[in-house]
Amino acid sequence: MLQKEVTIYDIAQKLNISSATVSRALNDDPVVSKKTRKRIFDAADEMGYRLNHFARNLRSQKTNIIGVIVPRLNSYFMSAVISGIEQVANSEGYNIIISQSAEQWDKEIANAKTMFNNRVDGLLVSLAYDTKNIAHFEPFFKRNIPVIFFDRVEEHNSSTNVLIDNKRAAYEATKHLIEEGCKRIVHITAIPKRNVYTDRLAGYKLALAEHKIKFKEEYVVISNLGQEDGAKAAEKILHMQPLPDGVFVANDNCAVGCMVALKKAGIRIPQDIAFVGFNNDPVATVVEPNLTTVNYPGYQIGAVAARNLINHLKGAPMYTTDSIILKSELIIRNSSKKSAS
Amino acid sequence: MLQKEVTIYDIAQKLNISSATVSRALNDDPVVSKKTRKRIFDAADEMGYRLNHFARNLRSQKTNIIGVIVPRLNSYFMSAVISGIEQVANSEGYNIIISQSAEQWDKEIANAKTMFNNRVDGLLVSLAYDTKNIAHFEPFFKRNIPVIFFDRVEEHNSSTNVLIDNKRAAYEATKHLIEEGCKRIVHITAIPKRNVYTDRLAGYKLALAEHKIKFKEEYVVISNLGQEDGAKAAEKILHMQPLPDGVFVANDNCAVGCMVALKKAGIRIPQDIAFVGFNNDPVATVVEPNLTTVNYPGYQIGAVAARNLINHLKGAPMYTTDSIILKSELIIRNSSKKSAS
DNA sequence: TTGTAGGCGTTATCAA
DNA sequence: TTGATAACGCCTACAA
């Protein structure tokens, strides 16, 4: 048995008042008398009234929905981000709808279109690996729908970026390896198309330069950064002459895959090769030796991005904030402690 | 500059036809002549028309939104599930909105209410640890809004469950330990309130019974199943006299935390204590020795649950399907191979 | 403090 | 094949 939806009209009729008063009461308009207000709430409860968001949205032209577009959902980092977004959004009465670009530009374009047609109030985006430009977000900019990029960002004068200082983090990671005595440091990363990879590469180079170590193209190993790709990278490393003595990897998963493979080949970590990863994924404290890595606070990234977006939506002055840079830090564990070993 | 939204009226006016015809054309109603149809589409494109979902929903009383309520977002398993849900939903033109119960009953109730008020077309739920009953989903059942539970389920005659056979999986895990020669097998799990834990416990007991090993209450270690809780469990295990020779853990994270702590205390795995986990989380292949575990296909769970829900929504006969049980399997790695070592 | 009435953008019914 | 029109449920000037 499907019961019919109760509307404010039904309540009004039952109480012999106008629907306007009901609407006002339900929206906590202080102008309604305490008494009527109570009668209305009681009746609403009793009759099982529920607000029709569509009718409201249709009028108010707002949706209370935040769109989220991410490359992939199934990484520890990204779920932490989403968790942060959800928490903040929910506490502010926003819902989130999520879609994945699967690292593909065209899927990202399609997702953006869907979000646009769903009239999200705002958008949180981490760009696909594959994305060449951000023209597909123009419709949002044109309509003043706030778009915030996080982690994988692109500069745009009408949007804010939330991320960490990847260059500095990479610089410190590399510097740490150098200070531990490494001279031949390999950097495993993805094709440097996105900021996260170019910046990390830049930080790596900077640290080398600053310590007068010559940058060698062949020490940059390009990979998809999955755990299995780490094993493949290990192959390459094992063929290098002379053997590298340090590896800085752009992500923990890959670092761990690489370490496991190298250990299987008899390499001692950190004595023969020291390792630093990126993200501070839970695996970092499982692999042996535990992985030195850059703590990248996913939950906070998500929470801050969402908070910022909602502030925009609530009409907070759009300080021309370009970027919000969260703190990251190098967490030193045993995988890099050459000196102590 | 905010451009005004283009409506079907604007298109109609421009082309000197009625809005009804425009609506029909836009919805691919074959009754519209090819010629007008083309004119309408061209005009729509040119004018930047976009469908107003709210107006449509208001009329059609459908939202094309699927609600998802999960305990926590930040685990590998759950992100795989979400990924599966998103994929299927998206391909069928549904959006998903997600909320977390943070394992709390009251938050789950609130979430359910929000979902209800958002008029989701259907709901996918994995129950909070804390949830005592599922009365908060009654409003959905009453209105024939399909609700599908996955992983953490509860029986209800108007909903379907998607999960694996936890009891059997646990039975096989335990049996495997026994066959490897274990006689004193500890089971680390959460307070058995949810099916996943009671069933695994039952499977554990069954295997013991079948092999004439007496079940001992003190071998069941209750924990929150986080990585750090694994370390705490290790403490307890180390104090047991005599030392257990096998551990079956209800989740990989915790298993790994426990293994690491035991190793630090000088215990050899699997020689002294063999381990089996649950989930086949990526850490399972990182910890040393690699963890034997039950493969729990998160992506598929999500995809199947979503597919099933959408089939309901599209009016597929609601075969009185009680449960959909997906295959799981024991993946044997070195953490349990006592005999070979 | 409350009521009246119009409109948000669609779709469906009926008529032409 | 197309058009006129009435809902869908809510909010908000404006009036009382």
Side-chain angles (χ1 to χ4, degrees):
Chain A
M1 267 325 277
L2 278 175
Q3 18 177 327
K4 173 121 176 9
E5 287 291 346
V6 177
T7 73
I8 53 174
Y9 286 100
D10 301 324
I11 300 178
Q13 196 171 22
K14 173 160 180 181
L15 299 181
N16 246 311
I17 55 179
S18 83
S19 64
T21 304
V22 177
S23 169
R24 283 191 275 256
L26 260 18
N27 286 291
D28 283 326
D29 188 328
V31 86
V32 180
S33 77
K34 282 252 162 84
K35 214 174 112 192
T36 3
R37 196 191 126 93
K38 176 153 172 35
R39 290 177 62 218
I40 290 170
F41 272 91
D42 289 349
D45 266 3
E46 183 196 326
M47 302 169 73
Y49 167 80
R50 57 174 180 166
L51 170 68
N52 186 319
H53 286 260
F54 308 116
R56 165 180 281 180
N57 292 340
L58 183 57
R59 278 259 353 182
S60 65
Q61 309 281 32
K62 284 195 57 216
T63 67
N64 268 34
I65 293 180
I66 292 174
V68 181
I69 302 179
V70 297
R72 285 237 142 74
L73 238 22
N74 52 2
S75 73
Y76 177 82
F77 172 74
M78 204 47 92
S79 19
V81 170
I82 301 286
S83 183
I85 293 175
E86 194 275 339
Q87 205 93 124
V88 170
N90 212 291
S91 77
E92 295 287 339
Y94 285 84
N95 283 311
I96 62 179
I97 72 181
I98 297 184
S99 70
Q100 311 181 67
S101 62
E103 301 283 14
Q104 292 160 33
W105 189 14
D106 56 344
K107 247 213 116 188
E108 187 177 284
I109 293 176
N111 289 343
K113 201 164 188 174
T114 309
M115 295 291 181
F116 187 68
N117 289 333
N118 274 299
R119 317 228 172 174
V120 295
D121 286 347
L123 202 55
L124 297 173
V125 182
S126 183
L127 292 167
Y129 183 65
D130 216 32
T131 296
K132 304 274 193 299
N133 66 54
I134 55 173
H136 44 306
F137 298 110
E138 278 308 322
F140 294 88
F141 299 135
K142 279 221 184 85
R143 273 180 212 270
N144 275 343
I145 301 169
V147 176
I148 292 186
F149 295 104
F150 62 89
D151 185 42
R152 313 265 206 93
V153 307
E154 197 77 23
E155 297 293 333
H156 188 285
N157 55 13
S158 42
S159 82
T160 301
N161 292 338
V162 177
L163 72 171
I164 59 167
D165 187 338
N166 283 285
K167 183 171 173 186
R168 208 187 63 156
Y171 165 79
E172 278 172 6
T174 311
K175 182 170 151 232
H176 168 67
L177 283 172
I178 296 172
E179 286 170 355
E180 288 289 327
C182 298
K183 301 206 164 6
R184 298 179 302 281
I185 303 174
V186 164
H187 179 36
I188 305 180
T189 186
I191 302 178
K193 293 198 275 193
R194 287 261 79 79
N195 65 301
V196 288
Y197 305 116
T198 51
D199 291 356
R200 288 171 199 176
L201 180 57
Y204 162 77
K205 284 185 183 173
L206 178 62
L208 293 184
E210 216 171 63
H211 292 81
K212 315 245 187 284
I213 299 179
K214 205 172 141 224
F215 167 74
K216 288 192 180 176
E217 197 62 50
E218 60 268 35
Y219 275 175
V220 177
V221 176
I222 300 301
S223 124
N224 282 324
L225 295 179
Q227 206 169 296
E228 59 290 355
D229 303 300
K232 284 183 208 151
E235 281 303 315
K236 285 197 192 155
I237 290 173
L238 286 169
H239 283 85
M240 291 180 180
Q241 294 278 1
L243 200 66
D245 53 10
V247 181
F248 167 46
V249 192
N251 118 1
D252 285 348
N253 257 324
C254 182
V256 159
C258 189
M259 285 169 71
V260 169
L262 286 178
K263 281 164 63 181
K264 206 167 279 171
I267 303 289
R268 294 168 310 160
I269 297 169
Q271 296 90 330
D272 300 333
I273 303 183
F275 263 83
V276 177
F278 212 105
N279 276 9
N280 198 21
D281 210 276
V283 288
T285 55
V286 171
V287 71
E288 288 174 58
N290 282 191
L291 181 61
T292 295
T293 187
V294 176
N295 188 42
Y296 194 172
Y299 183 90
Q300 283 182 56
I301 294 272
V304 167
R307 170 70 57 205
N308 198 258
L309 183 68
I310 291 173
N311 285 348
H312 278 192
L313 293 177
K314 295 206 164 156
M318 188 142 167
Y319 320 101
T320 36
T321 322
D322 261 8
S323 317
I324 299 177
I325 308 292
L326 295 201
K327 271 219 187 80
S328 63
E329 74 211 305
L330 190 66
I331 298 180
I332 296 174
R333 301 203 179 96
N334 288 330
S335 72
S336 62
K337 287 191 194 152
K338 248 188 162 64
S339 48
S341 58
Chain B
M1 269 321 281
L2 278 174
Q3 18 177 328
K4 172 123 178 11
E5 288 290 346
V6 177
T7 73
I8 53 173
Y9 283 104
D10 302 325
I11 299 178
Q13 196 171 24
K14 173 161 181 180
L15 299 182
N16 246 311
I17 54 181
S18 82
S19 66
T21 304
V22 176
S23 170
R24 283 192 276 255
L26 259 17
N27 286 292
D28 284 328
D29 188 329
V31 86
V32 181
S33 77
K34 283 252 162 80
K35 215 172 114 193
T36 6
R37 196 191 126 92
K38 176 154 172 32
R39 289 176 64 218
I40 291 171
F41 271 90
D42 289 349
D45 267 3
E46 183 196 326
M47 302 169 72
Y49 167 81
R50 57 174 182 165
L51 170 67
N52 187 320
H53 286 260
F54 309 116
R56 164 179 283 179
N57 291 341
L58 181 57
R59 282 265 351 185
S60 64
Q61 309 282 31
K62 283 197 58 213
T63 67
N64 268 35
I65 293 180
I66 293 175
V68 181
I69 302 178
V70 297
R72 284 235 143 77
L73 237 23
N74 52 4
S75 73
Y76 177 81
F77 173 74
M78 206 46 95
S79 21
V81 171
I82 302 286
S83 182
I85 293 174
E86 195 274 340
Q87 204 93 124
V88 170
N90 212 291
S91 76
E92 294 287 339
Y94 284 84
N95 284 310
I96 62 178
I97 73 182
I98 298 184
S99 70
Q100 311 181 65
S101 62
E103 300 282 14
Q104 292 160 34
W105 190 14
D106 55 345
K107 248 214 113 188
E108 186 177 285
I109 293 177
N111 290 341
K113 200 163 188 176
T114 309
M115 294 292 181
F116 187 67
N117 289 334
N118 274 299
R119 318 229 170 174
V120 295
D121 285 346
L123 202 55
L124 297 173
V125 182
S126 183
L127 292 167
Y129 183 65
D130 217 32
T131 297
K132 304 273 192 302
N133 65 54
I134 53 173
H136 44 307
F137 298 111
E138 277 307 322
F140 294 88
F141 299 135
K142 279 221 184 84
R143 274 181 212 270
N144 275 343
I145 300 170
V147 176
I148 292 186
F149 295 104
F150 62 90
D151 185 41
R152 313 265 207 92
V153 306
E154 197 77 23
E155 297 292 333
H156 187 287
N157 56 13
S158 43
S159 82
T160 301
N161 292 338
V162 178
L163 72 172
I164 59 167
D165 186 338
N166 283 285
K167 182 170 173 188
R168 208 188 61 157
Y171 165 79
E172 278 173 6
T174 312
K175 182 170 151 231
H176 167 67
L177 284 172
I178 296 172
E179 287 172 353
E180 289 289 326
C182 299
K183 301 204 163 8
R184 300 179 300 281
I185 302 174
V186 163
H187 178 37
I188 306 180
T189 187
I191 303 179
K193 293 198 278 195
R194 287 262 78 80
N195 64 300
V196 289
Y197 306 116
T198 50
D199 291 357
R200 288 171 200 177
L201 180 58
Y204 162 79
K205 286 185 182 174
L206 179 62
L208 294 184
E210 216 171 62
H211 293 80
K212 315 247 187 282
I213 299 180
K214 207 173 141 220
F215 167 74
K216 289 191 179 178
E217 197 63 50
E218 61 268 34
Y219 275 176
V220 176
V221 176
I222 300 301
S223 126
N224 281 326
L225 294 181
Q227 208 170 295
E228 59 289 357
D229 302 301
K232 285 182 209 153
E235 280 304 315
K236 287 196 193 156
I237 289 173
L238 286 168
H239 283 85
M240 291 181 180
Q241 295 276 4
L243 198 69
D245 53 8
V247 181
F248 166 47
V249 192
N251 118 3
D252 285 348
N253 257 323
C254 182
V256 159
C258 189
M259 285 170 70
V260 169
L262 286 178
K263 280 165 63 181
K264 208 167 278 173
I267 302 290
R268 295 168 308 159
I269 296 169
Q271 296 89 331
D272 300 332
I273 304 183
F275 264 82
V276 177
F278 211 105
N279 276 9
N280 196 23
D281 210 275
V283 288
T285 55
V286 171
V287 70
E288 291 174 54
N290 283 191
L291 181 60
T292 295
T293 187
V294 176
N295 188 43
Y296 194 172
Y299 183 90
Q300 282 180 58
I301 293 272
V304 167
R307 169 71 57 205
N308 200 258
L309 183 68
I310 291 173
N311 285 347
H312 279 190
L313 293 176
K314 296 207 163 156
M318 190 142 167
Y319 319 101
T320 37
T321 322
D322 260 7
S323 317
I324 299 176
I325 308 293
L326 296 200
K327 271 218 187 83
S328 64
E329 74 213 302
L330 190 67
I331 299 182
I332 296 173
R333 302 205 179 95
N334 287 330
S335 72
S336 62
K337 286 191 194 153
K338 248 188 163 65
S339 49
S341 57

